[in-house]
Amino acid sequence: MSKSLFVMGLAVVGLSLSALTPSDLEAQRNRNQNLKKLLIVTPLPETPQDSAFAVEFAQQLRDRATGKLRNRMRVFDTETYCEALAASGFDCGTLLDNNSAEQLANFMTADAYIVGVVSNGGTGPSFTMRMVDARRSGLSGVQSF
């Protein structure tokens, strides 16, 4: 019984894929390419003891933003972020100041980038972020959590 359901499911998937014309596939590809590109830079920790927390926080933020914003903008994932840092001669856990963050965003051709400050206080983590428009995309703002 489950094998026949699996075969039926494959048939439905095959029919739905065959219904897409090459122009539909090209349109989907163009929509994905036209998305604004967002770079999330590892936030600076409020205290030096929170640097490992800041790196982990940025990785989680990138993962969640990638999932939630996938139809609206392209978020550079942690792997791409680390590759760009490695190409610039830095370690993946390097904390960048605002000037270095801007240079990295330009290197990665990001439309906007997020920098911030994170702290892991006694009442829980707090995060202040600033989105900086790098390419006249209209993406900018400040938010505290």
Side-chain angles (χ1 to χ4, degrees):
M1 175 100 173
S2 64
K3 186 174 180 181
S4 63
L5 287 175
F6 178 73
V7 172
M8 262 182 31
L10 286 178
V12 170
V13 169
L15 287 174
S16 64
L17 288 178
S18 65
L20 294 175
T21 64
S23 61
D24 291 338
L25 293 173
E26 184 67 27
Q28 177 67 31
R29 191 176 306 120
N30 287 339
R31 270 194 300 274
N32 290 339
Q33 289 176 350
N34 291 333
L35 295 176
K36 302 283 187 207
K37 295 182 281 186
L38 177 65
L39 173 66
I40 299 175
V41 178
T42 301
L44 295 174
E46 200 168 77
T47 62
Q49 296 85 2
D50 289 338
S51 60
F53 175 76
V55 171
E56 181 65 28
F57 181 85
Q59 290 174 350
Q60 293 295 319
L61 182 60
R62 281 186 211 103
D63 291 345
R64 289 183 182 196
T66 298
K68 290 189 181 276
L69 300 174
R70 72 178 164 265
N71 294 326
R72 294 185 216 149
M73 63 182 57
R74 181 174 165 241
V75 178
F76 289 104
D77 61 2
T78 300
E79 183 179 330
T80 306
Y81 177 78
C82 290
E83 287 173 3
L85 282 176
S88 302
F90 294 104
D91 181 41
C92 187
T94 301
L95 302 173
L96 303 176
D97 62 2
N98 290 338
N99 189 33
S100 299
E102 181 179 5
Q103 290 174 355
L104 183 63
N106 288 333
F107 174 74
M108 296 179 74
T109 65
D111 293 306
Y113 61 98
I114 293 177
V115 291
V117 176
V118 67
S119 67
N120 192 9
T123 60
S126 66
F127 177 54
T128 301
M129 69 175 194
R130 182 171 56 104
M131 185 181 301
V132 180
D133 188 352
R135 298 186 176 272
R136 297 184 181 170
S137 62
L139 300 171
S140 64
V142 175
Q143 185 69 44
S144 292
F145 301 97

